[in-house]
Amino acid sequence: MVSTERIGYSPLQIILHWSIAVLVVFQLLFGESMGAVMRAAARHVTPSAADQRMASLHYWVGIAVLLLAAGRLAVRMVQGAPRTAGLSPLAVRAAQAAHALFYLLLILVPVTGLLGYYLGDPWGDLHTLGKPAFIILIAIHASAAVFHQFWVKDGTLSRMLVPRRRMEM
């Protein structure tokens, strides 16, 4: 009997990963305008046109992140993820925990943003905690990918850059 094992991510998984990554970086870099608009509204002052445009973008990009993350989670549940060869059980658990935390943030941060926008605090305050959490997790994730690609040389980074088919066993 011939079995197959995933050795890389599918094209759809790669597209979703990098699309979400770009949108999250956009949110981290340009999301402060939403706070400016919310503060202006609380003071009954008209925010600048630039802040209004960027806040609107932040809103819609956040919804896109939420929808893409839900899609990515569904795809992962159906297609799975490549096996992590040669890693210790502790390293595998750490990677699984980091990925679970990413999915949690990718869902909860946009949801708390929407709740903060429509209902106010404490949701807005909770939403703002997402930024440092994302920055820390992204730094750990990127550092681990680079470490594995260039130090351990196990192809971790290349699996998320180039689609790989299943390997026949």
Side-chain angles (χ1 to χ4, degrees), residues 83-111:
R83 185 174 61 88
T84 50
L87 293 182
S88 72
L90 181 61
V92 170
R93 277 189 236 111
Q96 290 169 338
H99 284 93
L101 188 52
F102 261 123
Y103 284 115
L104 187 65
L105 285 174
L106 289 168
I107 301 297
L108 287 182
V109 171
V111 167

Side-chain angles (χ1 to χ4, degrees), residues 76-87:
R76 182 170 181 136
M77 290 169 53
V78 170
Q79 294 183 356
R83 185 174 61 88
T84 50
L87 293 182

Side-chain angles (χ1 to χ4, degrees), residues 2 14 22 27-28 40 58 68 71 73 92 95 99 105 111 114 116 122 125 137 139 141 146 157 162 168-169:
V2 175
I14 293 170
V22 166
Q27 295 292 70
L28 292 173
H58 183 75
L68 289 171
L73 187 56
V92 170
H99 284 93
L105 285 174
V111 167
L114 287 168
D125 291 337
L137 194 56
H141 183 68
V146 169
L157 182 59
V162 179
E168 304 247 345
M169 306 274 304

